[in-house]
Amino acid sequence: MASGPDTTSASAPNGSRARKAAPAARRSAPGEPARESRAGTASSADTSSSADPSSNVTSDAGQPTDKGAGRPGRMRRLAALARREARRTGLAALSGVVLAFAFPPYGIWPLSLVAVAALSLLTRGRTIRQGAWLGLAFGWPFFVVLLKWLHVVGWDATIGLAFLQGLFVLGLGAGLAVTSRLPAWPLWGACLWVTEEFLRDRLPFGGFSWGRLAFANTSSPYTPLAALGGAPLVTFAVALSGTLLAAAALTGWRLRSRPARTTRAWATGLGALGLAGAITVAGFAVPVPTKAADTVRIAVVQGNVQQPGMHFLGRPMQILNNHVEATLDLAERIKQGKEPKPDLVIWPENSSDLDPYKWPEAGDRIDEAVKAVGVPVLVGALVDHPTKEGYVENQGIVWDPKKGPGASYTKQHPVPFGEYVPFRDQLSKVITRLQQVPRDFYPGDHTGVLQTGPARLGDVICFEVAYDEIPRDTVKDGARALVVQTNNATYGRTGQPEQQLAMSQLRAVEHGRAVVTAATSGISAIVSPDGTVQQRTEEFTQDVLTGDLPLRDEITLADHVGAVPEWVIAIVGVLACAGALLLGRRTRGGRTQARTATETPDAAGHQDGTDEQDRQAQPEGQHQ
């Protein structure tokens, strides 16, 4: 595909090939589409330089005179392309890092708007390949900084997962470049952000939801929008505000030129800026329901672990004993009248490091703690699968002081390569580190609605809080409050616990439910239905949180509509790309036909209106 000025000329009378002089390209403003050539593309990055003496030379007979002469020219063109794109590539990488600082533990949410605007400007008017490259240059550094907590496993794991996630942003960059030529391009760009997250939330192996724009805006003016359309609507609003800011900045750049200061230009720029502001404050008008039907007194036990990192477990029974001792201490304070008796107690994921059904000593210790406190305890444990040998289930178990273990919930979404290994037989031979996952977790087949004492709680285990459908289905099945049992000991003091807590805050607003996060080593927290963190623990400390937990039955509009907003917005993004590609193809086809008609030889064998110009453009000594 041609990508530069049309250099095809008519044949000179002596049979040599003459070339038209290419007009000088007008310098484009930052983010402004490059002026398209007659071939219909925006950049000359791929233009073949026929005048380059190192390029392939074709004789009058049509045979190459030197088959290897094109390689040095091609390499020079690639080097020139790299130099030409170096500044944009650097700016894209910097913008990706900026976006990472919008997320916890930094939490500077306005940077999410800045990053979206920057990527929109950098990809505007670029070719598909250039947009894709800029998307990868943006996405890869973003995920490296965001997921740096994975370095506990290995920096190769961090960089590898970041690259895989960056490939989705590569597609986003290509889509932004394509749709940037359409009217209302900020709207289509915002839809594409949702499309990218839609795909990344599902692919591969069930997807990976970390890094959604919504999770950087769990304490921002956009947060209440989650009650209307969930996390996808928050992402869309943030992205649309960012792309509108890009449009306003682009108009402001153009207004530096006096002839461009028209009424229409001013209206366009101010309109984009005003609309971005209106979307930002729209969340304040969204009612966030928080009124409780009733309350329940809870205690959240954080027993702590002996050491952070991959080997946090220590000796068998250590973590279980930590939680038993913290619960016994709570029971003693209740007996002394220092603490009101709770209605239920919540332990975190993996609070029992041995299967209490298989190991009697583990079951006995749990039973001791539960009977001492005298109320049901939600225990987290790894349990051998009852029928499938070699598989384990990650469960939350309701342990009653009189009846013992009862109803349970099994994690539905195990983490690939962390809780199970896809293609284990093949990959474990190549990546020996995968052998540290000795058994695969078996997924559960139902939501975690559990009657725990007087409260009907919805159990969500660890990373499941990042996926829209699991908390939503749990609430719609009757959960009056949500519990996130988690074990973040591997990633302690890396920023990961803060990122996960932010997800709990968003889910609280999205579903109008109080959310309890119970962690082995922190951060444990009680979050009210409006997303406010009422209480929280520090990391790597033994602690117990107590308080009244509001219970609600009313569901939000986001729960009513489910995934419909996400599907609609994502499909609109895909259709915008398809429409832009189709429109571009038709435009190029029309220009090709017009050029062909102009260059049709007349009866004398000359090209209409071009022969004299071509001869004038020939190098000296070739005129006859």
Side-chain angles (χ1 to χ4, degrees):
M1 178 179 70
S3 59
D6 181 17
T7 56
T8 304
S9 67
S11 298
N14 63 352
S16 63
R17 303 293 291 178
R19 298 193 176 273
K20 293 183 182 179
R26 183 179 73 84
R27 188 179 183 86
S28 300
E32 182 180 359
R35 290 292 181 181
E36 293 189 354
S37 67
R38 289 172 57 190
T41 55
S43 173
S44 59
D46 300 324
T47 302
S48 298
S49 178
S50 301
D52 188 352
S54 62
S55 61
N56 284 342
V57 180
T58 305
S59 67
D60 290 342
Q63 299 297 323
T65 59
D66 185 356
K67 293 183 179 180
R71 188 173 302 276
R74 187 179 302 113
M75 295 303 296
R76 276 198 292 271
R77 288 196 298 274
L78 290 174
L81 175 61
R83 289 193 299 270
R84 188 160 51 247
E85 293 297 319
R87 185 174 66 172
R88 283 179 181 266
T89 301
L91 288 173
L94 178 61
S95 301
V97 173
V98 166
L99 179 58
F101 279 86
F103 290 78
Y106 318 104
I108 312 173
W109 67 263
L111 293 181
S112 60
L113 306 179
V114 175
V116 170
L119 185 60
S120 298
L121 290 173
L122 289 168
T123 56
R124 179 157 168 75
R126 312 302 286 175
T127 65
I128 294 178
R129 282 180 293 182
Q130 290 168 338
W133 169 253
L134 292 171
L136 181 61
F138 177 97
W140 197 359
F142 162 58
F143 282 108
V144 167
V145 177
L146 181 73
L147 305 178
K148 62 179 175 55
W149 45 265
L150 198 58
H151 80 272
V152 176
V153 178
W155 276 107
D156 55 341
T158 303
I159 294 171
L161 180 58
F163 179 76
L164 178 62
Q165 298 301 298
L167 292 178
F168 290 92
V169 189
L170 178 150
L172 171 64
L176 291 174
V178 169
T179 58
S180 67
R181 297 179 176 85
L182 293 177
W185 59 269
L187 175 61
W188 317 129
C191 291
L192 286 171
W193 277 92
V194 178
T195 304
E196 180 266 335
E197 293 185 359
F198 174 92
L199 295 173
R200 194 161 51 79
D201 187 38
R202 292 162 172 82
L203 301 171
F205 307 118
F208 186 71
S209 289
W210 241 259
R212 299 168 71 178
L213 291 179
F215 295 153
N217 287 270
T218 59
S219 299
S220 79
Y222 299 97
T223 310
L225 296 173
L228 300 181
L233 184 60
V234 177
T235 287
F236 175 73
V238 173
L240 184 56
S241 297
T243 54
L244 286 169
L245 288 177
L250 182 60
T251 303
W253 178 270
R254 289 170 176 167
L255 289 175
R256 294 169 68 243
S257 171
R258 187 177 298 275
R261 297 173 188 170
T262 63
T263 302
R264 181 177 179 180
W266 281 104
T268 300
L270 293 176
L273 193 61
L275 185 55
I279 294 170
T280 302
V281 300
F284 292 121
V286 177
V288 177
T290 59
K291 185 177 180 181
D294 55 350
T295 61
V296 63
R297 184 78 180 175
I298 66 168
V300 184
V301 175
Q302 178 176 299
N304 201 15
V305 299
Q306 273 55 48
Q307 57 187 357
M310 291 288 291
H311 306 289
F312 67 89
L313 284 172
R315 298 190 313 273
M317 294 281 290
Q318 264 192 330
I319 294 178
L320 174 57
N321 285 331
N322 288 350
H323 287 82
V324 169
E325 290 165 6
T327 306
L328 292 175
D329 182 68
L330 171 65
E332 183 63 26
R333 286 188 283 117
I334 294 171
K335 185 178 180 180
Q336 295 176 359
K338 297 179 180 179
E339 185 77 48
K341 184 176 181 179
D343 298 306
L344 60 96
V345 175
I346 300 171
W347 285 9
E349 176 190 26
N350 300 154
S351 47
S352 177
D353 47 7
L354 291 177
D355 182 349
Y357 300 113
K358 182 178 179 181
W359 299 93
E361 56 268 42
D364 291 345
R365 285 293 279 164
I366 297 173
D367 207 49
E368 177 187 357
V370 174
K371 287 180 177 178
V373 77
V375 297
V377 177
L378 181 61
V379 178
L382 298 183
V383 177
D384 289 346
H385 194 281
T387 60
K388 294 185 178 295
E389 187 176 355
Y391 286 91
V392 65
E393 294 179 322
N394 192 351
Q395 288 190 349
I397 307 167
V398 178
W399 206 291
D400 188 83
K402 295 180 180 179
K403 300 178 181 178
S408 64
Y409 165 67
T410 299
K411 186 176 183 180
Q412 302 174 71
H413 199 304
V415 178
F417 302 103
E419 294 176 328
Y420 76 98
V421 180
F423 311 110
R424 174 182 289 273
D425 292 341
Q426 295 78 19
L427 291 179
S428 59
K429 296 176 182 177
V430 180
I431 309 173
T432 56
R433 190 183 306 160
L434 296 177
Q435 297 172 8
Q436 296 184 30
V437 185
R439 296 189 296 172
D440 289 338
F441 284 34
Y442 199 85
D445 57 5
H446 58 81
T447 61
V449 179
L450 300 171
Q451 189 68 39
T452 310
R456 191 166 64 249
L457 303 179
D459 193 14
V460 175
I461 297 180
C462 203
F463 280 20
E464 289 185 325
V465 71
Y467 298 92
D468 294 344
E469 66 278 5
I470 293 178
R472 180 173 61 236
D473 292 344
T474 303
V475 169
K476 293 180 74 172
D477 277 355
R480 306 185 73 199
L482 291 173
V483 174
V484 181
Q485 291 183 294
T486 186
N487 176 15
N488 292 325
T490 300
Y491 308 113
R493 300 194 181 104
T494 64
Q496 188 269 358
E498 288 89 345
Q499 292 175 7
Q500 192 170 328
L501 178 59
M503 297 175 192
S504 294
Q505 292 179 259
L506 185 74
R507 298 307 181 197
V509 176
E510 181 177 359
H511 305 295
R513 294 292 187 272
V515 179
V516 177
T517 297
T520 52
S521 58
I523 302 170
S524 300
I526 300 176
V527 181
S528 64
D530 65 356
T532 303
V533 178
Q534 298 292 347
Q535 298 183 57
R536 56 163 288 175
T537 65
E538 298 300 322
E539 291 188 74
F540 296 106
T541 59
Q542 188 175 99
D543 203 352
V544 176
L545 301 178
T546 59
D548 292 327
L549 186 71
L551 303 177
R552 302 188 70 255
D553 298 302
E554 180 185 355
I555 63 175
T556 63
L557 179 60
D559 290 319
H560 280 294
V561 299
V564 172
E566 183 181 27
W567 277 90
V568 170
I569 298 171
I571 290 173
V572 169
V574 173
L575 292 177
C577 281
L581 289 171
L582 181 61
L583 181 63
R585 184 174 300 175
R586 288 181 176 178
T587 302
R588 289 192 296 272
R591 288 173 176 167
T592 300
Q593 292 177 3
R595 186 168 65 250
T596 302
T598 303
E599 296 175 351
T600 301
D602 59 14
H606 300 296
Q607 304 248 341
D608 294 338
T610 62
D611 192 47
E612 181 62 28
Q613 296 173 9
D614 288 343
R615 285 197 296 271
Q616 291 176 358
Q618 290 174 356
E620 185 179 355
Q622 291 190 8
H623 296 295
Q624 283 191 343

